[in-house]
Amino acid sequence: MTGTLTLVRLALRRDRVVLPVWIVTIIGLLAASASAIAELYPQAAQRIALGVTIGSAPALQALTGPVFDATSIGGLTAWRTTTMASVLAALMSILVVTRHTRAEEETGRAELVGACAVSRHAPLASAMLVAGGANLLIVLLIAIALAGQGLPAAGALAFGLAVGGVGWTFTGVAILAAQLSEHARTVNGIAAATLGLAFLLRALGDAAKVETLTWLSPLGWAQRMRAFAGERWWVAALFAVTGLVLMTVAALLASRRDLGAGLVPARLGPPGAAATFRSPLALAWRLQRGGLLGWAIGFAVVGAMFGALAYSVGDIVRDNPQLAELLARMGDGAGALADTFLAAELGLLGLVAGGFAVQATLRLQGEESAIRAEPVLATAVARWRWTAGHLAVALGGSALILAAGGLTAGLAHGLRIGEPIRQAARLLGAALVQVPATWTLAGIAMLLFGLLPRLTALAWAALVAFALLGQLGELLQLDEWVRGLSPFVHVPPSLGQPVDVSPLLWLGVVTAALSLAGIAAFQRRDLRGD
């Protein structure tokens, strides 16, 4: 382990801004949510009514999990925020590990470091210590923050262990994935796909009340920690053992591969290029088509799941006569509630599609950093054509994956109510309404790449900020202008009423302005520089 502590200090120095932002975001989310729930539902009767109606619906349990204790503020806080906070901790761990392991090998820096008095396993160990330390800090700060608001200390500590435990587990997932591929982008994709699968298993298990599926997911373990509802402390050991096993396997695999190589060798390309392979757009499509296919399949599966669950939202109406009467005055009762649920889920898909838009746009930075952009731009290819090719894939691809999610959601929902064609058309249109807001994130990423390439991580920060504003803005009672900073807040309702196209046009104008400014800035700066 020679050199491990030195590499830890180096990693902390490099992440001195990003890592605290992740931690403060997670802690602030939980603390603000607990405070808002205490203010909005001060009486036990109000909390019980919320848990019996909204919290008991299978469709909504697919998103947030079950309510284990609706009588307490802590129980409702755990129900509302455990999944979101756990996903953020997992993403933080994945990005930290990939940055300090596979990305270092891909750029050749690990080879330079390894030429010094540094052990072969020091980079893995340092990444594990940094990510593990960050998750341990999250555990402690969550316990302090929630206990400081008057919630039971045992429940606050269990909540922290649940969130930090998910982060620790996905630290192991990312370290193991880093042994498989030669490219950091692929490692992030493998780990993110594992996180998506974990969410899907937990959602299906909670919605269908199949505990076996839920226990296959670390996100399900976080829920079954039962913070503030009769804590199960032994679940923390499940997180610890799983993470250690994954890291041990990764260390064994690391000693059986060459530095810079992956256990799964890269596939060789064809000896000659196809006749259509003659433009920057064709190059961008060739580089990104595999990732786009994976995103489209994932959206199709999740969309079908949401569509199948929408029908069960009517259970809320059947169990709550007062709500049924209110909805009957508003429209078609259970149908109106199903549309509300589907609109919310399509909004969530729009946010996730923003992740693809950012990833596809920032592929430009990956090509530039790996010195693959220079040979292309040394030919007759203009800079604006090269950037426009990747931007076109980002914009078109985000629309495509949203269409896949909306279409499968409509088909699944339509099959349950006997209107597959009509519902498929409705939800396809509703999904495409999210596209202009998603494109705004591509514009932000393009502007940062062209103007401030060292700060492109701010595009991901913008995505997280928009997600928090959209999902928790009303709960936290933020001012209207603050929530209006998210482009997704301006997406007009599209189910059950005519669509107002003016906000969509304005979002398109903003995207065009950001994109053109980024392309113009890239025209004027040096490659691999500011």
Side-chain angles (χ1 to χ4, degrees):
M1 293 302 169
T2 302
T4 299
L5 294 181
T6 301
L7 292 180
V8 167
R9 291 196 297 272
L10 175 62
L12 292 176
R13 175 71 175 79
R14 294 176 63 195
D15 290 346
R16 66 188 182 279
V17 175
V18 175
L19 208 54
V21 168
W22 276 106
I23 295 172
V24 169
T25 298
I26 294 172
I27 305 305
L29 163 68
L30 298 182
S33 297
S35 176
I37 289 173
E39 183 176 349
L40 293 174
Y41 305 100
Q43 303 297 325
Q46 295 174 313
R47 296 192 289 269
I48 293 173
L50 178 66
V52 170
T53 56
I54 304 298
S56 63
L60 299 182
Q61 287 187 12
L63 295 179
T64 59
V67 184
F68 291 110
D69 182 10
T71 64
S72 68
I73 294 172
L76 286 184
T77 302
W79 162 65
R80 188 68 178 85
T81 59
T82 296
T83 297
M84 182 176 292
S86 298
V87 168
L88 290 176
L91 289 174
M92 177 197 73
S93 302
I94 291 169
L95 295 175
V96 166
V97 168
T98 305
R99 174 180 171 85
H100 297 297
T101 54
R102 177 52 65 181
E104 293 295 282
E105 293 188 42
E106 187 176 7
T107 58
R109 289 190 292 263
E111 189 171 0
L112 294 175
V113 172
C116 304
V118 174
S119 166
R120 174 66 182 268
H121 293 297
L124 286 182
S126 64
M128 178 194 72
L129 290 174
V130 171
N135 283 294
L136 179 60
L137 186 59
I138 286 174
V139 172
L140 297 176
L141 291 178
I142 287 177
I144 293 171
L146 295 184
Q149 295 193 31
L151 300 180
L157 179 58
F159 199 173
L161 287 172
V163 176
V166 173
W168 171 253
T169 301
F170 278 91
T171 297
V173 170
I175 289 178
L176 181 59
Q179 313 311 312
L180 302 179
S181 173
E182 297 180 7
H183 305 294
R185 182 182 65 257
T186 307
V187 171
N188 280 331
I190 294 172
T194 305
L195 177 60
L197 178 62
F199 178 85
L200 186 61
L201 289 172
R202 185 211 58 78
L204 290 174
D206 286 337
K209 302 189 184 304
V210 180
E211 286 290 309
T212 302
L213 288 176
T214 302
W215 282 105
L216 292 175
S217 167
L219 297 176
W221 305 346
Q223 294 283 354
R224 269 54 184 179
M225 192 85 182
R226 295 179 67 103
F228 304 106
E231 293 78 13
R232 292 174 172 171
W233 299 104
W234 59 269
V235 177
L238 192 59
F239 286 121
V241 171
T242 302
L244 287 175
V245 168
L246 291 171
M247 294 173 197
T248 301
V249 173
L252 293 174
L253 295 178
S255 62
R256 289 166 170 78
R257 66 174 179 86
D258 292 333
L259 185 65
L263 291 173
V264 179
R267 183 172 59 88
L268 296 177
T276 56
F277 196 55
R278 293 180 178 177
S279 69
L281 178 59
L283 173 62
W285 166 252
R286 178 64 181 82
L287 292 173
Q288 304 209 45
R289 65 183 183 183
L292 177 58
L293 177 62
W295 278 86
I297 294 173
F299 265 60
V301 172
V302 173
M305 182 191 75
F306 285 149
L309 290 173
Y311 182 77
S312 64
V313 179
D315 294 341
I316 301 178
V317 177
R318 286 185 285 273
D319 296 336
N320 191 324
Q322 294 81 9
L323 183 59
E325 182 180 353
L326 174 62
L327 289 173
R329 292 197 299 266
M330 294 173 56
D332 59 349
L337 192 57
D339 278 355
T340 302
F341 169 77
L342 288 168
E345 303 323 312
L346 291 176
L348 181 62
L349 289 181
L351 276 168
V352 178
F356 171 81
V358 172
Q359 180 191 64
T361 304
L362 294 185
R363 181 63 186 268
L364 289 163
Q365 186 182 39
E367 295 296 296
E368 182 183 2
S369 300
I371 321 180
R372 291 190 292 266
E374 290 186 20
V376 175
L377 296 176
T379 65
V381 175
R383 286 193 177 196
W384 71 267
R385 292 183 62 207
W386 180 67
T387 53
H390 285 275
L391 184 61
V393 173
L395 299 180
S398 56
L400 178 63
I401 62 177
L402 276 171
L407 185 62
T408 56
L411 288 173
H413 181 53
L415 288 173
R416 295 205 66 177
I417 65 174
E419 300 177 343
I421 303 300
R422 177 175 177 272
Q423 295 300 323
R426 288 181 70 236
L427 294 182
L428 174 60
L432 292 178
V433 169
Q434 303 288 330
V435 169
T438 300
W439 283 356
T440 306
L441 282 161
I444 293 173
M446 186 69 247
L447 178 63
L448 290 170
F449 168 73
L451 190 62
L452 301 169
R454 294 184 180 180
L455 299 179
T456 51
L458 291 178
W460 293 107
L463 174 61
V464 174
F466 295 160
L468 295 179
L469 288 173
Q471 297 298 308
L472 297 175
E474 292 187 6
L475 175 63
L476 300 180
Q477 298 180 309
L478 298 178
D479 291 338
E480 187 70 26
W481 72 267
V482 176
R483 288 190 285 128
L485 295 175
S486 170
F488 295 93
V489 173
H490 302 286
V491 175
S494 56
L495 290 176
Q497 53 187 298
V499 177
D500 182 8
V501 299
S502 56
L504 304 180
L505 294 176
W506 279 111
L507 289 173
V509 170
V510 170
T511 300
L514 293 171
S515 301
L516 292 175
I519 293 174
F522 179 65
Q523 294 280 106
R524 302 177 63 86
R525 72 168 175 85
D526 294 334
L527 289 180
R528 292 182 291 153
D530 292 334

